[in-house]
Amino acid sequence: MVATSLLLACLASVASTVSSLSIVDRSAAATAFFNPVDGGGSWLNNAGGGGGEPLNVVISGLSSPDVLTDDGVLNFARSIGFSTECFGIHLGDPQSANLGDGHGFVNQTVELRQDFGNADVGTCLESLIGGNHFRVYRQNGPSANSGALFLAVSQEENVNEGHTISPDGYDVGRDALAAAATGKTSFGGVNYSTEVQRLENEMPAGANGVNHGIAVDGAVVLLTVTIE
Ligand SMILES: *[C@@H]1O[C@H](CO)[C@@H](O)[C@H](O)[C@H]1NC(C)=O
Ligand SMILES: *[C@@H]1O[C@H](CO)[C@@H](O)[C@H](O)[C@H]1NC(C)=O
């Protein structure tokens, strides 16, 4: 009888350890993002030709879960003036990134362009006159599953200039996106409140390895987006 109750107490304690462990696991998983470098990744994607675009904006894994889905980030992007590409015309090849999450290099999940206030023809305007665009990568691999979205944001010249990144276009694009996202925005009946944090020296500053040899200042903007 004593042995049985001891055994039961033992089992109960194992059970409570297991359940408290799983609670610890969940809170450990609730993190803004993991530094890609810690898992063998990089703050630069692979743009082809040896260079990379900086992953200069992160949408925090602590954002509302609905923001971190493909449809969710698209709707949020529309609330800050971005849209899908002009009639699905894709300018350039997909680019891949290694977020250090155990998935290795994966292609962008989506590419969005600034829509200049008109979700249908705006992106076509962007292709003609230049503007901001970004690629999205999700950090969801087995070794660093934050759910955070890493964005490679840049500002382009217009099509007459060969549709290339403008000088200083990575920092300028990042800051323009941060300014557009700050505070309260809304699209498709969803209201967002976004907190913007600037993480200085999060990635290496300078032009080393950066696509087109364009220098960056090393800051990453962290967005925590909450659906109200
Ligand atoms: C990315 O997509 C291109 C074109 O579809 C494909 O050739 C390439 O293998 C993909 N890269 C990765 C890392 O999946
Ligand atoms: C979004 O905000 C507007 C303006 O404050 C408000 O009228 C509306 O009810 C809000 N929508 C939701 C879904 O909370």
Side-chain angles (χ1 to χ4, degrees):
M1 209 47 196
V2 168
T4 307
S5 52
L6 260 181
L7 180 62
L8 284 176
C10 232
L11 284 174
S13 124
V14 166
S16 82
T17 305
V18 166
S19 74
S20 66
L21 270 180
S22 64
I23 287 163
V24 168
D25 277 353
R26 269 199 298 279
S27 61
T31 187
F33 67 92
F34 295 98
N35 188 328
V37 175
D38 295 343
S42 171
W43 285 103
L44 296 174
N45 77 3
N46 177 4
E53 296 190 340
L55 303 170
N56 46 13
V57 173
V58 176
I59 300 181
S60 169
L62 302 178
S63 299
S64 297
D66 282 353
V67 174
L68 300 171
T69 66
D70 288 358
D71 286 351
V73 70
L74 178 57
N75 198 73
F76 171 68
R78 285 177 164 160
S79 85
I80 64 170
F82 287 81
S83 192
T84 49
E85 288 193 76
C86 173
F87 303 133
I89 294 169
H90 195 87
L91 298 155
D93 295 329
Q95 299 180 359
S96 60
N98 181 350
L99 300 183
D101 62 1
H103 275 162
F105 279 91
V106 291
N107 277 334
Q108 69 210 40
T109 58
V110 66
E111 176 168 0
L112 295 158
R113 291 174 182 275
Q114 198 168 31
D115 79 6
F116 292 99
N118 183 325
D120 291 328
V121 300
T123 50
C124 302
L125 276 177
E126 193 271 356
S127 298
L128 294 174
I129 65 177
N132 230 348
H133 81 139
F134 65 86
R135 303 169 195 279
V136 180
Y137 303 91
R138 181 174 287 112
Q139 187 174 54
N140 63 353
S143 56
N145 188 4
S146 66
L149 302 177
F150 285 62
L151 278 46
V153 185
S154 55
Q155 176 96 37
E156 293 183 330
E157 313 256 64
N158 67 35
V159 82
N160 298 325
E161 314 264 343
H163 216 75
T164 55
I165 310 300
S166 49
D168 210 25
Y170 296 120
D171 292 347
V172 168
R174 173 201 63 205
D175 293 344
L177 187 147
T182 300
K184 296 192 183 299
T185 58
S186 173
F187 190 89
V190 185
N191 294 342
Y192 302 97
S193 174
T194 300
E195 193 188 304
V196 178
Q197 243 179 302
R198 193 182 163 91
L199 310 176
E200 304 289 350
N201 306 310
E202 189 69 22
M203 71 170 77
N208 197 15
V210 182
N211 204 23
H212 308 303
I214 294 172
V216 297
D217 62 16
V220 170
V221 161
L222 178 64
L223 307 179
T224 308
V225 185
T226 305
I227 294 178
E228 301 205 304

